[in-house]
Amino acid sequence: LAKTTQPISMDSYEGQEVNITCSHNNIATNDYITWYQQFPSQGPRFIIQGYKTKVTNEVASLFIPADRKSSTLSLPRVSLSDTAVYYCLVGLTYNTDKLIFGTGTRLQVFP
Amino acid sequence: EAGVVQSPRYKIIEKKQPVAFWCNPISGHNTLYWYLQNLGQGPELLIRYENEEAVDDSQLPKDRFSAERLKGVDSTLKIQPAELGDSAVYLCASSLRRGSEAFFGQGTRLTVV
């Protein structure tokens, strides 16, 4: 299973764009990249998943370069409610179906 | 549609006592996960079920932990006897099938005193 590395914490202000980068140098061919968000006292929540290039939904965008050894979660115009821990996971395919969480990135949004 | 339901939300027990957690996954979800989350850490997989079969329990401390998933729906996780180090949040998640998006419950926060 591919190991992921992400910053421990990040700070931002309301209205700014936040980019959280995750490194996954040994990602396998069939691996997907998935991001989860976790608020205090709640379970993690799926945000976005992608395999290559760019994926966008109503919450975030996910940028994956051609070599797929890293990925960037982009949160446009964050608000205080985006303060949470964000986890990058690699796997989640029919061959690798464990959810392996690291320590995540703790994002703090200030007014 | 109801999400993953866990109970109780909070549990305080004395060490050496037994404790059980219950999880009701989303209807129709075949895959069920139990995770343990320590403070400041990401969730760690304890056991994964495909329907009623435990297909991955390599991280479950089998000397004191046990789990079951009756009829491939609800699941219980038990600890007997509990130790101080078992204090953590126990999360249940389910997905439609292996590899698809997982939905988590709110977790059970266990405090062993």
Side-chain angles (χ1 to χ4, degrees), chain B residues 41-92:
Chain B
Q41 301 294 316
E44 300 171 30
L45 180 69
L46 290 173
I47 189 168
R48 175 172 62 91
Y49 282 92
E50 296 294 338
N51 297 304
E52 67 276 8
E53 182 183 359
V55 296
D56 184 356
D57 63 355
S58 58
Q59 302 302 313
L60 190 72
K62 298 181 183 62
D63 57 336
R64 296 185 299 108
F65 286 66
S66 64
E68 61 181 3
R69 189 181 184 195
L70 299 175
K71 299 181 181 179
V73 183
D74 293 0
S75 178
T76 55
L77 178 68
K78 299 178 182 178
I79 308 174
Q80 182 171 8
E83 298 178 351
L84 294 177
D86 295 331
S87 295
V89 175
Y90 291 83
L91 293 161
C92 178

Side-chain angles (χ1 to χ4, degrees), chain A residues 11-18 75-79:
Chain A
D11 292 336
S12 183
Y13 292 94
E14 283 191 294
Q16 290 189 332
E17 178 184 73
V18 171
L75 305 172
R77 297 182 299 281
V78 295
S79 63

Side-chain angles (χ1 to χ4, degrees), chain B residues 5-24:
Chain B
V5 179
Q6 291 187 245
S7 68
R9 283 296 314 277
Y10 304 93
K11 188 75 176 179
I12 300 175
I13 62 170
E14 294 183 344
K15 62 181 179 182
K16 299 185 182 180
Q17 294 300 307
V19 65
F21 314 123
W22 176 78
C23 173
N24 178 232

